[in-house]
Amino acid sequence: MNSLGMIAIVVDDYDAAISHYVDDLGFSLIEDTVLSSEKRWVVVAPSKDGAKILLAKASNEAQRGAIGNSTGGRVGFFLYTNDFLHTYESYKSRGIEFIEEPRQEAYGQVVVFKDKYGNKWDLIEQLGK
């Protein structure tokens, strides 16, 4: 059986990214290992289940240009919650930018937010989950 273990999000600074994903979004810091004077292996995750996120510091101009736009402006990340209202209100109180009002879809309640870098995320509570 195959499973998606990790994705990478390009960031400008390791510590600022850790602060955002851990303090603002409530993710856990799984690993922070120094690999060289310029490179660290930084992994965060919203829960113990599912894929993790490698916070990859941009190392050249092309990578810096991709910060916040790895999916061409589309929603590229999907965060599932079992308590939509609590998560939504918690994120709002922490200054997370929502680009729409919550809406009900056939699959559940959803709202789009941006992370610190401009990446778009769906916050979703699936029906029946």
Side-chain angles (χ1 to χ4, degrees):
M1 178 173 114
N2 298 328
S3 66
L4 180 62
M6 193 172 337
I7 61 166
I9 293 180
V10 182
V11 300
D12 60 352
D13 177 82
Y14 291 117
D15 294 322
I18 291 169
S19 176
H20 175 66
Y21 286 97
V22 172
D23 298 336
D24 298 338
L25 297 179
F27 291 13
S28 295
L29 178 61
I30 306 300
E31 184 175 355
D32 184 358
T33 302
V34 175
L35 301 176
S36 72
S37 62
E38 294 295 316
K39 191 172 183 179
R40 290 160 50 186
W41 185 260
V42 178
V43 179
V44 297
S47 71
K48 62 180 175 56
D49 300 321
K52 297 170 181 56
I53 299 170
L54 175 68
L55 300 176
K57 184 178 175 185
S59 62
N60 59 45
E61 228 17 72
Q63 291 175 8
R64 281 186 282 282
I67 294 173
N69 194 28
S70 62
T71 60
R74 293 184 56 105
V75 171
F77 307 99
F78 303 84
L79 183 62
Y80 295 103
T81 182
N82 59 5
D83 190 343
F84 183 89
L85 185 58
H86 173 77
T87 305
Y88 174 71
E89 292 296 335
S90 175
Y91 283 8
K92 277 179 56 176
S93 74
R94 295 177 189 159
I96 300 301
E97 178 186 356
F98 289 90
I99 64 171
E100 63 179 13
E101 293 298 316
R103 64 185 192 279
Q104 189 66 45
E105 297 289 346
Y107 53 83
Q109 197 164 13
V110 63
V111 66
V112 177
F113 70 91
K114 289 183 180 181
D115 67 15
K116 169 183 177 60
Y117 302 98
N119 296 301
K120 292 181 184 174
W121 293 69
D122 269 354
L123 174 64
I124 302 169
E125 182 175 7
Q126 295 177 292
L127 288 175
K129 299 279 179 160

